[in-house]
Amino acid sequence: MMFGFLDAFSRNKELLLGLTAPESGLISTEGLPELHPSQEENVQKALAAKDYFLLQGPPGTGKTSFALLTIVEKILKRSPDETVTILAFTNKAIKEVCNKLNSAGIKYLFNSSSEEDDNSLKTMVKTHDLESFGEYVKSIRVVTSTVASFVKYSNDLKAFFRFDTLMVDEASQLLEPQLAGIVVNFNRFILIGDQNQLPAVTVQSDVTTSINDPLLNGIGIFDMKVSLFERMFNTAVRNGWSNAYGTLIEQFRMDEKIMQLINHYYHDGLRCALSERQNLDVIYPKGDESKISELLRSNRLIFIETPLSKTGKNNESEADIVAQIVEKIKICGLSEKNGSLNLGIITPWRAQIATIKQKLEEIRITGVPVDTVERFQEVKTELLSTQPLFQITTSWNAWDQLG
């Protein structure tokens, strides 16, 4: 895809490299009363952007469920002919976007060979003849796809679908080569992500990815492990291009005390927008006189020091403590759903997952999801669907990544 970047118009390349300031039109005076203040401000800025907009969405701020969906709805409403292409890195992420579009009644074409989605390209081809398929495609203004599928079929898509506005969800997980050759093909693009959560995954060492060229360093390119989103966001902040970036600050997921654990990553700007939460003694009505019960009923954020493991990726002591806590949570009366505790356990290592699951089986507790940070982030809408949720995280490193 880097050949697409090299073939692009000079101005498009200069915009990506931070050599040209992005342009923006007038902010609409039409209010969006259904949104919180930072959501409304950033949606309006995204709609006014002529070149690009970079939206940082910290944990629980609704960057997909509120911001992305609202931007799409407003584009379709205000511009009768404008098309929107929505991309995401993983299949799970783009399916979540498709579900949101379905719920909002927005018609779209899913660029996928899957037959599980009634709006997928494969389903449409199989259920339409050539004439009716052509008419259907003409009525479509939204296309969704993973980045990989878009790269594979972009030339075919371009034959019947205009590339007006591009939106990329979870853009902070994508490196420069994965996106640079795509965004230059659109009239404008909106990248949504958060560089402080899960970064782009790379296997190269710092030595092989560091950039020491003075010209590249001068435009903010120091490390090829940094995502396009993060590099452009930092450039926009450094140059004072406030029309081209923004951060959502109202979060709806974490209790205030938990939020403060990560707030320093966002310059202490996050605000808790949760409605009133249940008291812990209501969540755990059957508390006893044990130390663990006392901790559960008095704190939403608990740190327990454990002995260091000799293996690094497996810790028996930690797993034993996790099992004890889970058992006590069940005894204390944490609500269950479909026969399973409303509880999640996060650990960085696969080996530790197996150890924790074994410990839970020994005390006959099943149905509790135990997984890595990446997996919880990818399928959080499935695993973390109800409240109250008690989350056990093994190792500070996991908390640091999850935010």
Side-chain angles (χ1 to χ4, degrees):
M1 289 305 294
M2 289 307 293
F3 287 108
F5 172 76
L6 295 173
D7 282 341
F9 292 117
S10 295
R11 185 174 186 276
N12 290 356
K13 288 187 282 190
E14 290 172 357
L15 283 167
L16 250 63
L17 294 173
L19 299 173
T20 296
E23 295 182 2
S24 180
L26 295 175
I27 299 291
S28 173
T29 56
E30 178 188 354
L32 301 172
E34 69 275 18
L35 300 181
H36 286 258
S38 75
Q39 291 177 336
E40 179 176 1
E41 176 189 357
N42 286 294
V43 166
Q44 296 284 29
K45 286 165 70 174
L47 293 171
K50 292 184 178 180
D51 295 313
Y52 65 80
F53 185 73
L54 311 166
L55 178 60
Q56 182 185 30
T61 54
K63 59 182 179 293
T64 301
S65 55
F66 291 102
L68 184 148
L69 190 61
T70 302
I71 292 169
V72 173
E73 289 176 327
K74 296 301 179 183
I75 288 175
L76 298 181
K77 181 179 178 181
R78 75 171 189 181
S79 308
D81 300 320
E82 187 172 350
T83 64
V84 181
T85 301
I86 306 175
L87 305 182
F89 183 37
T90 65
N91 204 43
K92 285 281 186 183
I94 201 62
K95 283 185 177 179
E96 182 181 344
V97 171
C98 291
N99 289 336
K100 300 294 183 186
L101 295 173
N102 268 324
S103 299
I106 296 174
K107 200 173 179 181
Y108 66 92
L109 179 65
F110 182 24
N111 176 36
S112 169
S113 58
S114 170
E115 295 184 27
E116 297 175 1
D117 192 309
D118 292 338
N119 298 291
S120 74
L121 187 58
K122 185 171 184 177
T123 301
M124 290 295 107
V125 170
K126 290 185 69 173
T127 57
H128 289 71
D129 57 31
L130 187 59
E131 183 177 351
S132 63
F133 177 74
E135 290 300 315
Y136 174 80
V137 168
K138 289 178 183 177
S139 69
I140 291 294
R141 296 175 58 198
V142 177
V143 165
T144 64
S145 177
T146 62
V147 171
S149 291
F150 182 83
V151 170
K152 187 175 181 179
Y153 298 111
S154 59
N155 288 332
D156 296 331
L157 284 171
K158 206 167 188 177
F160 61 82
F161 189 81
R162 288 200 326 273
F163 290 171
D164 291 334
T165 293
L166 170 69
M167 300 185 70
V168 184
D169 196 24
E170 303 292 1
S172 52
Q173 291 185 285
L174 291 156
L175 295 171
E176 302 246 3
Q178 294 170 297
L179 272 185
I182 295 176
V183 298
V184 291
N185 290 306
F186 287 81
N187 294 335
R188 66 168 178 167
F189 59 90
I190 299 167
L191 305 185
I192 302 173
D194 182 15
Q195 63 272 35
N196 293 332
Q197 293 188 66
L198 293 179
V201 177
T202 58
V203 296
Q204 288 82 9
S205 66
D206 292 343
V207 174
T208 59
T209 62
S210 63
I211 304 296
N212 299 312
D213 184 281
L215 291 176
L216 293 176
N217 293 164
I219 57 174
I221 300 178
F222 295 94
D223 191 339
M224 292 308 295
K225 291 201 299 289
V226 173
S227 66
L228 176 73
F229 175 90
E230 180 175 356
R231 197 257 303 162
M232 292 190 69
F233 193 95
N234 291 338
T235 297
V237 172
R238 185 172 62 251
N239 291 332
W241 298 336
S242 58
N243 61 307
Y245 72 91
T247 300
L248 299 172
I249 64 170
E250 297 96 355
Q251 68 84 22
F252 308 87
R253 183 182 303 161
M254 296 168 281
D255 182 81
E256 177 81 24
K257 290 183 179 179
I258 300 174
M259 183 192 75
Q260 293 305 333
L261 189 69
I262 65 164
N263 208 358
H264 64 283
Y265 291 115
Y266 304 97
H267 308 289
D268 293 321
L270 291 182
R271 299 291 177 266
C272 187
L274 283 171
S275 56
E276 188 175 343
R277 302 291 299 277
Q278 284 182 304
N279 291 328
L280 289 172
D281 56 358
V282 175
I283 297 174
Y284 305 112
K286 302 174 185 176
D288 52 33
E289 300 304 316
S290 68
K291 183 64 176 177
I292 293 179
S293 178
E294 181 185 340
L295 285 171
L296 290 174
R297 291 163 62 86
S298 60
N299 299 274
R300 292 192 184 273
L301 184 63
I302 304 166
F303 293 97
I304 300 175
E305 188 173 356
T306 58
L308 288 174
S309 169
K310 294 180 181 179
T311 63
K313 295 186 179 180
N314 185 275
N315 190 317
E316 286 274 346
S317 298
E318 212 172 62
D320 282 328
I321 292 172
V322 168
Q324 291 174 39
I325 293 172
V326 172
E327 187 173 36
K328 183 60 67 173
I329 287 172
K330 185 172 184 178
I331 292 170
C332 287
L334 179 67
S335 62
E336 297 188 23
K337 183 179 180 181
N338 300 325
S340 298
L341 284 174
N342 189 11
L343 171 72
I345 301 173
I346 297 175
T347 186
W349 310 113
R350 292 287 175 190
Q352 187 69 351
I353 290 173
T355 303
I356 293 172
K357 285 184 175 180
Q358 180 185 340
K359 300 293 183 182
L360 294 178
E361 287 174 5
E362 290 173 2
I363 58 175
R364 298 183 179 181
I365 290 181
T366 60
V368 175
V370 185
D371 225 318
T372 61
V373 181
E374 289 82 2
R375 176 65 177 163
F376 263 85
Q377 178 73 9
E378 187 177 87
V379 295
K380 58 183 178 290
T381 53
E382 299 171 22
L383 297 179
L384 312 182
S385 57
T386 57
Q387 294 292 348
L389 173 76
F390 189 93
Q391 176 176 300
I392 299 173
T393 305
T394 68
S395 94
W396 172 258
N397 181 51
W399 260 115
D400 198 40
Q401 291 183 67
L402 185 66

